[in-house]
Amino acid sequence: MTDTTPTEAGSTSLHTNDAAKARLKARYAAERRFKWMGAGAVALSGLFLVILLSTIVTQALPAFRMNYVTLPLDLSAEQVDMENLSATNFSGIVNDAIMGQFPSVEGRQEQRALRGLVSTGAPTLLRKALESGEVEAGDTRQVALPLDDFSDLYLKGLVAKDGGREALAAAPQIVATDGAAEITFSDRSVVELAREAGAIEEDGVLRLTSGASSLLLQADGRIVKLLEVQAADGGATATGNVLLSDAPQVSDEAAIRIVETPESQRKFTDREIVWVDSLTAQGLTESRWNEIFLFSGASREPEMAGIWGAVVGSALTMLVTLALAFPIGVAAAIYLEEFAPKNRLTAIIEVNINNLAAVPSIVFGLLGLAVFINWFSFPRSAPLAGGFVLALMTLPTIIIASRAALRAVPPSIREAALGIGASKVQTVFHHVLPLAMPGILTGTIIGMAQALGETAPLLMIGMVAFIVDVPGGFTSPATVLPVQIFMWADFPEPAFQQKTSAAILILLGFLVLMNAIAVVLRKRFERRW
């Protein structure tokens, strides 16, 4: 509304008195505030989106790489019977190879920890490599095997924070007996290191308890974990445990490796750190593209768990959902919008369709469980049952979007078609439907994207089951991406945290791909009038 005020000559003029100017100024100020608030809302949303994506990407990236250890495996005829691989002790071959790298390791517990550096899935991968011809049987072969999850995480820097190395001015004297060592240092620099590591001082002795950082002395071909440090005349003395007595020297100079994360706060011991560092120093470890994660099925072992089974399960489930929901939804929309009489019955149907779009998704899961699983005896945990349930959930969205797209076509199109003698069916399918197709496809993709991210209805029909194999068809046991993410997020192993974020990235990629297809189809069918 425009403000007008009377002038002295009796005519009206715009914004000439102080009140009108004040109101005009207030309106302009309100407009500016609205613009700034809108821009602020957009910026805040963008900030949260950036934080979300950066957090997911940062956590997910380590999952796309995996560390392997190359070991000399005895694949001679005495160990491997190519005619009867099921009788071959592949676990024994792998265990002997890793034990051969550290012959000084004794004791049942230590040997078991050493064998645990290599993934428990390594024997199975070795057998598959022999069956496929990727690895040939013979004498001793250098074969790369996956490390276990904690060794892998350690090499990625996600288990123990590295505090660096402090070089010593002179090599200390080490006297080792039965795994215990007494060390004499020529200076007192180790005393300051012990204090900085959080050692507890009692009677002049600095004790590196479980709450302190680990100090690993590397000298004289040994690696010794320092336990107690004490200042002495002109230098210092220390006691410790010999973790490795035949370690390859990382460098020629004596040094103290600092592991800032106390041993009590991690599930990867100092001894395991020393073993992995030794393998790395010998050039036996390498980081590779994680093909196991990308092309394998699920597993209880984090390093052997893959996403491919869930990707295939999601694709099969979406195919079933699309094949059911799209033709039925579009047909229902065409009938209700173009052919159905406008009476109380169609009004009731329209209201119920709108209400169904707002029903919680788990209700559709209960319906699918009762109808498809219990009544029609569909295979449980299969893409067929999941697709039917998600189709029920998606139908209202497709119907509503399709009716809106049909309604948006100008009446002149229908009148022109009818005017030149086209029947009602010809008018709808030859002229109205093609023009409405971009809007219909947009609504369909929105419904499919919602279905792809649903978890609750699929839990009700058993798609949360632990499925190891990649599904081979619509009736095979399978899981889907959101359910796989839900399961991994609940596992306590730290390696599953990275895999959960990586699976979320793949799910987002799946959605982006679907939206890209929708954009291409919309452009292809788009018409201007």
Side-chain angles (χ1 to χ4, degrees):
M1 183 176 179
T2 303
D3 294 316
T4 59
T5 54
T7 64
E8 294 180 352
S11 61
T12 59
S13 178
L14 296 175
H15 320 306
T16 54
N17 61 13
D18 293 339
K21 291 179 179 178
R23 288 195 297 271
L24 184 63
K25 184 178 180 181
R27 286 205 300 272
Y28 287 159
E31 289 179 2
R32 285 194 297 271
R33 285 197 301 272
F34 179 77
K35 289 179 181 178
W36 279 110
M37 289 172 64
V42 172
L44 189 62
S45 302
L47 176 63
F48 283 130
L49 180 62
V50 169
I51 293 174
L52 174 66
L53 291 179
S54 60
T55 302
I56 294 175
V57 171
T58 303
Q59 291 185 354
L61 286 180
F64 291 99
R65 303 288 298 181
M66 187 170 181
N67 288 286
Y68 286 74
V69 58
T70 302
L71 297 175
L73 303 181
D74 183 5
L75 302 179
S76 62
E78 291 78 13
Q79 297 289 340
V80 179
D81 183 3
M82 291 300 296
E83 301 298 328
N84 186 17
L85 286 177
S86 60
T88 302
N89 183 8
F90 289 103
S91 297
I93 294 174
V94 174
N95 291 338
D96 291 343
I98 187 65
M99 294 295 295
Q101 298 298 314
F102 303 97
S104 62
V105 174
E106 298 177 348
R108 184 176 178 181
Q109 189 172 1
E110 291 184 4
Q111 289 181 347
R112 184 169 58 184
L114 178 57
R115 291 193 296 269
L117 294 182
V118 182
S119 170
T120 55
T124 303
L125 295 179
L126 177 59
R127 175 176 176 169
K128 290 181 179 178
L130 285 168
E131 290 175 341
S132 63
E134 183 181 351
V135 174
E136 295 182 358
D139 294 331
T140 301
R141 306 290 186 191
Q142 298 288 335
V143 181
L145 300 172
L147 288 167
D148 81 319
D149 54 336
F150 280 104
S151 301
D152 181 54
L153 290 176
Y154 168 69
L155 288 177
K156 292 174 180 173
L158 300 174
V159 170
K161 187 177 180 181
D162 188 5
R165 298 172 74 251
E166 292 289 338
L168 299 178
Q173 296 180 358
I174 302 176
V175 178
T177 306
D178 297 332
E182 294 183 358
I183 309 112
T184 303
F185 295 90
S186 59
D187 58 28
R188 296 185 177 181
S189 60
V190 68
V191 176
E192 294 302 321
L193 286 177
R195 287 198 176 97
E196 293 174 0
I200 297 176
E201 187 168 2
E202 294 178 351
D203 300 330
V205 179
L206 293 167
R207 291 184 171 83
L208 292 157
T209 60
S210 59
S213 301
S214 297
L215 300 182
L216 306 178
L217 172 64
Q218 303 172 353
D220 194 23
R222 297 184 180 92
I223 297 181
V224 181
K225 178 181 179 180
L226 301 184
L227 299 178
E228 293 181 353
V229 178
Q230 185 175 12
D233 294 338
T237 61
T239 60
N241 289 334
V242 179
L243 301 183
L244 197 61
S245 58
D246 52 358
Q249 287 281 11
V250 178
S251 64
D252 294 334
E253 62 181 7
I256 292 180
R257 161 85 188 282
I258 303 170
V259 182
E260 287 192 10
T261 307
E263 189 173 17
S264 60
Q265 297 180 13
R266 45 184 157 87
K267 295 184 178 180
F268 202 61
T269 64
D270 290 330
R271 195 177 296 276
E272 290 170 314
I273 287 177
V274 168
W275 289 333
V276 173
D277 284 345
S278 178
L279 292 172
T280 303
Q282 299 175 65
L284 298 179
T285 60
E286 62 175 326
S287 177
R288 293 184 177 182
W289 188 249
N290 195 350
E291 296 181 354
I292 294 177
F293 171 70
L294 295 174
F295 303 113
S296 298
S299 173
R300 294 290 185 189
E301 300 298 329
E303 72 277 6
M304 301 302 297
I307 196 66
W308 186 241
V311 172
V312 174
S314 291
L316 294 175
T317 303
M318 288 299 103
L319 284 176
V320 175
T321 303
L322 182 64
L324 286 173
F326 183 72
I328 296 176
V330 174
I334 291 174
Y335 176 76
L336 291 174
E337 192 63 31
E338 302 290 341
F339 296 98
K342 306 300 180 186
N343 53 29
R344 181 172 297 181
L345 178 61
T346 55
I348 293 174
I349 292 174
E350 183 176 351
V351 169
N352 280 282
I353 289 174
N354 294 335
N355 289 335
L356 281 174
V359 170
S361 59
I362 196 167
V363 175
F364 290 100
L366 291 169
L367 177 64
L369 177 66
V371 176
F372 301 126
I373 302 295
N374 295 336
W375 192 4
F376 290 108
S377 300
F378 277 18
R380 199 178 179 90
S381 309
L384 184 63
F388 270 74
V389 171
L390 294 180
L392 287 178
M393 193 194 71
T394 311
L395 263 176
T397 303
I398 295 180
I399 293 174
I400 294 172
S402 300
R403 291 191 67 185
L406 291 169
R407 201 178 299 128
V409 176
S412 58
I413 301 295
R414 297 176 177 83
E415 294 166 358
L418 293 172
I420 60 175
S423 66
K424 181 70 174 177
V425 173
Q426 287 176 321
T427 300
V428 172
F429 284 92
H430 293 181
H431 302 279
V432 177
L433 185 59
L435 294 175
M437 192 55 72
I440 294 175
L441 290 175
T442 301
T444 303
I445 292 299
I446 291 173
M448 295 295 293
Q450 179 190 4
L452 179 63
E454 280 296 337
T455 304
L458 301 179
L459 298 181
M460 300 303 299
I461 60 171
M463 296 199 78
V464 72
F466 183 74
I467 308 297
V468 176
D469 298 324
V470 177
F474 293 105
T475 58
S476 302
T479 186
V480 291
L481 280 169
V483 176
Q484 188 68 75
I485 293 169
F486 172 77
M487 294 172 65
W488 281 353
D490 199 37
F491 288 169
E493 289 84 354
F496 277 118
Q497 297 176 8
Q498 285 77 42
K499 290 189 179 292
T500 301
S501 298
I504 292 173
L505 272 188
I506 292 175
L507 177 61
L508 293 177
F510 210 127
L511 290 172
V512 170
L513 178 63
M514 290 177 61
N515 286 326
I517 294 173
V519 170
V520 171
L521 292 176
R522 193 164 57 235
K523 291 291 184 184
R524 183 179 180 83
F525 288 103
E526 192 172 26
R527 297 288 187 274
R528 295 183 182 276
W529 59 83

